[in-house]
Amino acid sequence: MTSKAMLTRPHHIDLDFDHTHIWHPYTSVTNPVPVYPVCRAYGVFIELEDGRVLIDGMSSWWATIHGYNHPVLNKAIVSQLQQMSHIMFGGLTHEPAVTLAKQLVSLTPEPLQKVFFSDSGSVAVEVAIKMAIQYWAALGKTEKNRMLTVRSGYHGDTFAAMSVSDPVTGMHTLFNGTIQTQLFAEAPSCRFHEPCIAEDLADIRLLLERHHMETAAVIIEPVVQGAGGMRFYSPHYLVHLRELCKCYDVLLIFDEIATGFGRTGKMFALEHAGIVPDIMCVGKALTGGYMTLAATLATDNVADAICSGNPGLFMHGPTFMANPLACAVATASISLLESFDWQSSVLRLEKGLQKGLEPCKALDNVKDVRVLGAIGVVELKSPVDMVAVQKKLVDKGVWVRPFGCLVYLMPPFIMLDEELRLLTAAVCDVVTMML
Ligand SMILES: *Cc1c(COP(=O)(O)O)cnc(C)c1O
């Protein structure tokens, strides 16, 4: 009966039920904000139930790099579905997981040899932090169990991930007492194209000097700080940080969940700096935005130490670990990326974003306009009224989701110049309307 009702009204979305019963990210269920019912998505387009078609400027939060409903990715997931959609990973293994792990090991720097699959970015960060703590415990240094990071970071919404996200924007006050207190250095202040001077690292150096005995690892988003402020900083910072971590005997964790798979113009942002962390997290675009999947990679050094200590095992194992559908589509997404000159696409988007957002620079309410790879940011002087601005953007035919003082774009790599022009023009118009 239900299926018949669904067939006759294929696109009806019960918004009243949604408003009264469903939590959307960071929302109230008693005072809900509008959500736009979407019935399908294809290429760079999102089609709303009322028939309006929006150009997607968000890639569903960094993820859908190839656009929606891609025939190659659809095919990968359908053929895997006919083999098995899921199987436990305890005591069993399968081709999609092995193939994907091979790809990840070969794409990332040589020392990163071990792969742990999990379901989401936040969990991949939890896993990375656990690895760092188990590493030192295995070496008999249980006192090295704190994390050091920089301000303006974002690493996810679970507790350990939250503890290393920016303490001001990252809910620390709310969960005060239940969240680990970590060490925070000033956010890197040297901009992407600038060199880094000793002064830029003075704060983190000082913290390492004082606290290295209790610090397991430094965790940082390389080059681009995402949801914590959409800041781009100099790769030189990372070169120095690598040295400092070595010098103070602290592990280095890179969170490439937002930056991975080409977004910054390199396959991984760490390539801008040419250095290798001890542990690295990937997620988001890993499956081309099709399924939720993440991975934490570790060097042999880290893995060997963990497995030599007590209990000699890495203590984690999610139910849906290495889900075959997710692994199969991730492999297809990575192969698809490698099958074309994506570097040129990202460079083309970089130029288009620079040109398209340029008019915002002159506006009185704009503090900064910055572009790196396929990421474009308009930083305003004061926070935007998200609900009102969202509506204006939708009315202009684009899907962009501002937060705080930031209106930002990270389009799918397949976006055409003309679509990007429309997208950036809509953003400029709306920012002008806010004057
Ligand atoms: C989104 C994000 C996360 C969290 O990933 P989820 O899949 O949302 O749990 C962690 N780190 C960074 C850098 C992110 O951008």
Side-chain angles (χ1 to χ4, degrees):
M1 196 195 93
T2 339
S3 63
K4 195 175 171 202
M6 279 161 66
L7 277 177
T8 50
R9 301 173 68 191
H11 295 319
H12 177 69
I13 298 161
D14 188 342
L15 267 187
D16 286 338
F17 189 89
D18 187 299
H19 279 325
T20 9
H21 294 278
I22 308 179
W23 259 299
H24 285 264
Y26 299 97
T27 56
S28 159
V29 275
T30 51
N31 185 22
V33 289
V35 286
Y36 296 85
V38 50
C39 56
R40 55 190 192 125
Y42 47 91
V44 300
F45 301 110
I46 297 172
E47 187 177 320
L48 300 183
E49 196 181 30
D50 62 14
R52 285 186 288 175
V53 175
L54 311 178
I55 298 176
D56 176 34
M58 299 300 294
S59 297
S60 282
W61 282 329
W62 314 85
T64 53
I65 51 176
H66 305 295
Y68 302 91
N69 218 332
H70 195 289
V72 172
L73 304 187
N74 287 5
K75 188 162 170 267
I77 214 161
V78 168
S79 50
Q80 181 54 44
L81 182 61
Q82 280 147 1
Q83 303 302 311
M84 66 186 154
S85 62
H86 185 62
I87 192 83
M88 63 189 283
F89 211 50
L92 296 170
T93 193
H94 47 79
E95 185 274 328
V98 176
T99 304
L100 177 58
K102 269 188 196 165
Q103 272 177 318
L104 290 175
V105 166
S106 86
L107 272 183
T108 53
E110 206 270 333
L112 295 162
Q113 287 290 320
K114 303 292 194 265
V115 183
F116 189 98
F117 289 114
S118 58
D119 333 318
S120 75
S122 300
V123 176
V125 168
E126 300 281 328
V127 164
I129 291 174
K130 234 186 206 183
M131 281 180 179
I133 292 171
Q134 271 202 246
Y135 173 84
W136 291 112
L139 298 181
K141 298 192 175 173
T142 46
E143 70 285 358
K144 277 171 85 73
N145 60 9
R146 287 182 87 183
M147 295 291 135
L148 197 163
T149 185
V150 293
R151 292 182 182 273
S152 296
Y154 177 76
H155 297 283
D157 287 354
T158 53
F159 273 83
M162 210 172 22
S163 79
V164 288
S165 297
D166 186 81
V168 181
T169 59
M171 308 168 274
H172 286 220
T173 321
L174 185 59
F175 296 103
N176 194 12
T178 45
I179 186 171
Q180 303 99 309
T181 45
Q182 312 287 19
L183 299 156
F184 287 90
E186 291 308 316
S189 53
C190 34
R191 291 180 69 124
F192 181 76
H193 288 291
E194 293 171 4
C196 240
I197 53 170
E199 208 182 295
D200 293 314
L201 286 113
D203 199 38
I204 199 160
R205 178 182 282 113
L206 189 71
L207 283 172
L208 279 166
E209 199 177 293
R210 283 194 189 145
H211 297 284
H212 65 97
M213 298 292 283
E214 53 186 294
T215 303
V218 168
I219 179 166
I220 193 166
E221 296 154 278
V223 180
V224 174
Q225 293 187 288
M230 299 299 290
R231 301 172 80 256
F232 311 148
Y233 65 91
S234 173
H236 295 287
Y237 185 93
L238 297 170
V239 176
H240 295 299
L241 183 59
R242 174 71 279 184
E243 279 305 305
L244 283 173
C245 287
K246 196 179 269 169
C247 169
Y248 285 107
D249 218 9
V250 160
L251 296 176
L252 179 60
I253 303 171
F254 276 177
D255 178 348
E256 290 254 12
I257 292 165
T259 50
F261 306 101
R263 183 58 63 181
T264 69
K266 304 276 187 195
M267 184 59 87
F268 296 105
L270 56 77
E271 293 167 28
H272 291 285
I275 50 152
V276 188
D278 301 287
I279 301 171
M280 169 176 169
C281 306
V282 294
K284 290 199 164 113
L286 171 61
T287 63
Y290 263 60
M291 302 273 300
T292 175
L293 181 72
T296 309
L297 284 93
T299 60
D300 280 335
N301 175 46
V302 168
D304 291 349
I306 290 172
C307 302
S308 72
N310 186 17
L313 315 166
F314 180 58
M315 301 304 279
H316 209 91
T319 305
F320 286 97
M321 187 171 180
N323 172 263
L325 289 177
C327 289
V329 76
T331 285
S333 176
I334 293 170
S335 304
L336 185 58
L337 194 58
E338 289 177 315
S339 74
F340 72 101
D341 184 4
W342 61 267
Q343 290 91 337
S344 297
S345 301
V346 173
L347 203 61
R348 181 177 58 77
L349 292 176
E350 185 175 69
K351 294 212 170 81
L353 286 164
Q354 269 158 356
K355 187 156 177 268
L357 296 176
E358 175 77 25
C360 288
K361 282 187 180 162
L363 301 175
D364 274 344
N365 56 346
V366 172
K367 186 175 166 198
D368 188 36
V369 176
R370 46 187 182 268
V371 173
L372 178 66
I375 315 167
V377 182
V378 179
E379 184 175 346
L380 296 148
K381 287 179 182 161
S382 51
V384 302
D385 173 349
M386 172 143 57
V387 173
V389 172
Q390 180 87 85
K391 180 169 184 313
K392 289 198 179 97
L393 289 159
V394 168
D395 289 343
K396 292 213 169 273
V398 299
W399 182 249
V400 178
R401 181 101 177 136
F403 74 84
C405 297
L406 303 167
V407 182
Y408 62 103
L409 300 173
M410 37 211 194
F413 298 169
I414 58 159
M415 185 169 285
L416 302 176
D417 290 338
E418 178 57 12
E419 293 155 351
L420 186 61
R421 201 188 58 73
L422 293 169
L423 178 64
T424 52
V427 166
C428 292
D429 283 355
V430 169
V431 172
T432 307
M433 284 159 75
M434 287 190 273
L435 266 172

